[in-house]
Amino acid sequence: MDPVNVAAFTEDELPTAMISIRPLSRALFLTALIGGATLAHAAPTPRMTTPAVAALSACLADNTTGKDRKDLARWVFVGMGAHPDIKRLASASDADLTDIDRTMGQLMTRLMAESCLKQTREVTREGGNGIETAFGQLGELAMQELTNNPAVGQRMAGFLKHVDLMRLGAALAPAATTTVAPAPLPGASAPR
């Protein structure tokens, strides 16, 4: 999709412009959610991509179903919902949390100890954050599938009615360029 020049719209056309910006909300959501959803609770580290990590990522994607990826998303969701600033927005019973943890534990065990054992061993031998990276990519796939649901897309786009598109358009518009005559070289005479 081509970038939207928001400054080119009149006030009456802004709702139409908002619809064109909807993919931005999905991208922001994915970036925010996946950026925080890692297997390890360690300080952020750069993603290490090697052939072994790529092979594990592909194996994880190939050996999970849509239901498995929704289970992964549920686990991420309740994990994020435990944050004190977010907790009031998410509610899950202790039984729900136990069920989600059990399901995630079984999924991880199946993927790492059975379905993708060879790839997991290769990544483990390399060290680094390869397993985190591979599961992060699986999480991205899970979030993409969820955000393709129209209800999720509509909810994610809710913030757009509060974006000042005129201000955003002005801020992102190309800066006006001015032509400046080059300064004369030392000892050269100024142009007449």
Side-chain angles (χ1 to χ4, degrees):
M1 182 165 90
D2 293 333
V4 176
N5 180 0
V6 181
F9 293 99
T10 66
E11 273 307 309
D12 296 335
E13 295 172 315
L14 287 180
T16 305
M18 288 182 192
I19 293 168
S20 300
I21 297 174
R22 192 165 291 171
L24 173 65
S25 65
R26 184 177 302 165
L28 292 172
F29 174 72
L30 290 172
T31 301
L33 189 57
I34 299 306
T38 60
L39 279 178
H41 297 287
T45 54
R47 283 191 173 189
M48 177 179 65
T49 304
T50 65
V53 172
L56 178 57
S57 293
C59 184
L60 294 174
D62 290 345
N63 286 281
T64 53
T65 64
K67 181 190 178 310
D68 292 334
R69 291 185 290 272
K70 284 183 184 95
D71 288 340
L72 173 61
R74 287 177 29 176
W75 175 75
V76 170
F77 181 82
V78 298
M80 299 275 186
H83 189 281
D85 293 341
I86 299 172
K87 193 170 188 135
R88 69 178 184 81
L89 301 174
S91 62
S93 69
D94 288 342
D96 289 336
L97 295 174
T98 298
D99 180 55
I100 290 167
D101 287 342
R102 180 183 307 108
T103 300
M104 189 62 192
Q106 292 168 348
L107 176 62
M108 293 282 296
T109 301
R110 177 177 58 82
L111 290 171
M112 295 178 71
E114 295 172 23
S115 304
C116 302
L117 176 60
K118 177 183 169 196
Q119 294 86 346
T120 301
R121 284 181 176 161
E122 285 296 316
V123 170
T124 303
R125 276 189 218 115
E126 288 181 344
N129 62 347
I131 290 179
E132 177 183 329
T133 297
F135 273 91
Q137 291 173 359
L138 179 62
E140 288 176 21
L141 178 61
M143 294 307 121
Q144 287 172 346
E145 289 175 359
L146 287 178
T147 59
N148 283 333
N149 179 284
V152 174
Q154 185 176 11
R155 176 62 249 143
M156 297 298 302
F159 79 97
L160 292 173
K161 62 185 167 198
H162 302 287
V163 172
D164 183 341
L165 291 176
M166 297 305 283
R167 183 174 170 200
L168 183 61
L172 299 176
T177 57
T178 57
T179 306
V180 177
L185 296 173
S189 60
R192 297 179 205 207

